[in-house]
Amino acid sequence: TLALSGVALSLVFGGVEIYVGTTAPLFDSGCLGANSPASRLRAIQAAPGGDLTLLANEMASIHSDLDSAADEADSTAVRVRIQSVANDVNALGNDFLLAQRSGDTTPLFSDEMKLETDGNAADSYCHSL
């Protein structure tokens, strides 16, 4: 009886672990695909540099990679969060180019704040079980 109870409990707990493991955002293809562009974005944030054209080009590349990650997402919730970050990166890249032409860097602050908010939300969600 004890052995059967042990087998039954291990099947139940094993099933719960498999369910959590396969449905957790941490293992979603979109979250996994967003890791590399997110790392590149963090590197830019740590040492932004001064060449706005180079920053805009890197933002365009990161935007493209995040778009791809969003397309690969298994879950709608992951897709929406990553696409939101991709859109923020795109806006920031466009405003880098605009700032270079006009000298007006005012929109960059609000772009950065939105990117940080959406990025933290996506990162938090993707690293949750």
Side-chain angles (χ1 to χ4, degrees):
T1 306
L2 284 175
L4 288 175
S5 296
V7 169
L9 286 174
S10 68
L11 288 173
V12 167
F13 287 118
V16 168
E17 285 181 27
I18 289 171
Y19 174 77
V20 168
T22 58
T23 60
L26 180 65
F27 303 113
D28 188 287
S29 299
C31 289
L32 296 174
N35 283 333
S36 175
S39 294
R40 290 174 25 222
L41 202 53
R42 284 187 201 99
I44 290 171
Q45 184 181 21
D51 188 337
L52 294 179
T53 302
L54 288 176
L55 286 171
N57 289 339
E58 183 62 12
M59 289 294 151
S61 174
I62 291 170
H63 172 252
S64 176
D65 291 346
L66 287 171
D67 266 346
S68 295
D71 289 343
E72 294 170 5
D74 303 318
S75 147
T76 301
V78 169
R79 183 176 301 108
V80 166
R81 283 172 174 82
I82 293 174
Q83 191 61 58
S84 178
V85 174
N87 294 341
D88 295 345
V89 167
N90 190 45
L92 184 59
N94 289 336
D95 284 343
F96 277 141
L97 292 175
L98 185 65
Q100 184 180 31
R101 286 191 297 269
S102 70
D104 181 16
T105 59
T106 317
L108 297 177
F109 180 73
S110 61
D111 288 346
E112 185 178 352
M113 296 309 297
K114 182 156 178 23
L115 176 59
E116 185 173 340
T117 300
D118 291 342
N120 286 339
D123 190 49
S124 176
Y125 188 76
C126 279
H127 287 94
S128 66
L129 293 175

